[in-house]
Amino acid sequence: MFKRKNKRGRLAATKEMLWPSMGWGRYFKFLMAKLKRISISSTTESVASGLSFGWFISFNPMLGTHTFWMLGLAWVFNANFLAMMIASLVGNIWTFPFLLWTSLQVGEFIAMMLFGDASLSFLQNIAWLQEMSWFRDAGNNFILMLIGWPFIGSLLYAITYFPHYYLVKNVKEAYQKRKKEKHEARNQ
């Protein structure tokens, strides 16, 4: 019932994904309208939690796993998955260097507090890791990011939840009010 009349080929679908034919401005308006529609049908807490978890996931250094993390968080915490996907657009090609650097800095701080140094030297004593020369640089930084991202993500979740909650609540109330006014205008 809701399918395209002329099915789009794979090449055309890929092209549309990379560069929307409707233009970027209209594409973002479409995303906001979709978010507004979802926020009306979902609970305010679910949408606010989804938006905040989107920020949370953006700091995850395991870049290929964000969707799986979002599915798990949406299931466990009953958060709105689509709101989470839209909010995770915070993490994009332009912002990932900053987000990962922040995760690294927080991870180094926590490692300094827990272990006394950020070199994670206790990991260097594991025999099979000594054979991997790349581990000392890239692996050490990756582990520090893995240590840091839950803390910075949780902090951002706590900071962004209530603004998102009141934003969604106000949008829902405005929608209900406008819907009621239209209904009353039709009945007169």
Side-chain angles (χ1 to χ4, degrees):
M1 179 175 174
F2 294 107
K3 295 184 179 179
R4 294 179 62 88
K5 187 175 183 179
N6 300 323
K7 190 171 180 178
R8 190 183 291 165
R10 288 182 191 227
L11 183 63
T14 304
K15 181 183 170 194
E16 186 70 24
M17 253 184 2
L18 296 174
W19 196 268
S21 61
M22 66 175 80
W24 287 105
R26 190 166 173 213
Y27 175 72
F28 284 115
K29 283 182 185 175
F30 169 75
L31 281 179
M32 294 324 269
K34 201 170 201 177
L35 178 61
K36 190 164 111 178
R37 190 189 71 203
I38 287 168
S39 69
I40 299 305
S41 62
S42 297
T43 66
T44 305
E45 294 83 5
S46 172
V47 176
S49 186
L51 289 169
S52 295
F53 273 126
W55 283 79
F56 173 83
I57 288 296
S58 294
F59 284 88
N60 184 345
M62 297 179 284
L63 300 179
T65 64
H66 286 187
T67 304
F68 300 113
W69 281 93
M70 285 187 269
L71 284 169
L73 289 170
W75 182 68
V76 170
F77 294 102
N78 196 25
N80 189 298
F81 178 72
L82 191 55
M84 204 180 297
M85 291 289 284
I86 290 172
S88 73
L89 291 175
V90 167
N92 57 53
I93 193 71
W94 305 109
T95 60
F96 271 133
F98 170 73
L99 298 175
L100 296 177
W101 177 81
T102 305
S103 294
L104 177 65
Q105 296 303 309
V106 171
E108 283 180 353
F109 176 76
I110 292 169
M112 289 293 286
M113 298 296 286
L114 295 177
F115 308 117
D117 68 349
S119 67
L120 300 177
S121 57
F122 66 92
L123 293 174
Q124 304 299 335
N125 296 332
I126 301 173
W128 62 274
L129 289 177
Q130 288 177 347
E131 297 172 13
M132 298 182 198
S133 62
W134 59 268
F135 178 78
R136 283 186 292 281
D137 299 324
N140 195 24
N141 287 342
F142 184 70
I143 289 174
L144 288 171
M145 283 188 261
L146 285 177
I147 292 171
W149 85 268
F151 292 97
I152 190 70
S154 299
L155 177 67
L156 263 170
Y157 179 90
I159 290 170
T160 60
Y161 178 79
F162 289 107
H164 287 145
Y165 177 83
Y166 290 111
L167 176 72
V168 172
K169 183 180 174 186
N170 289 337
V171 167
K172 285 179 91 165
E173 288 173 356
Y175 175 79
Q176 296 296 338
K177 182 180 176 184
R178 198 168 52 246
K179 188 175 175 182
K180 185 178 177 183
E181 288 172 357
K182 281 184 180 180
H183 182 65
E184 289 174 356
R186 268 192 231 140
N187 291 337
Q188 288 180 356

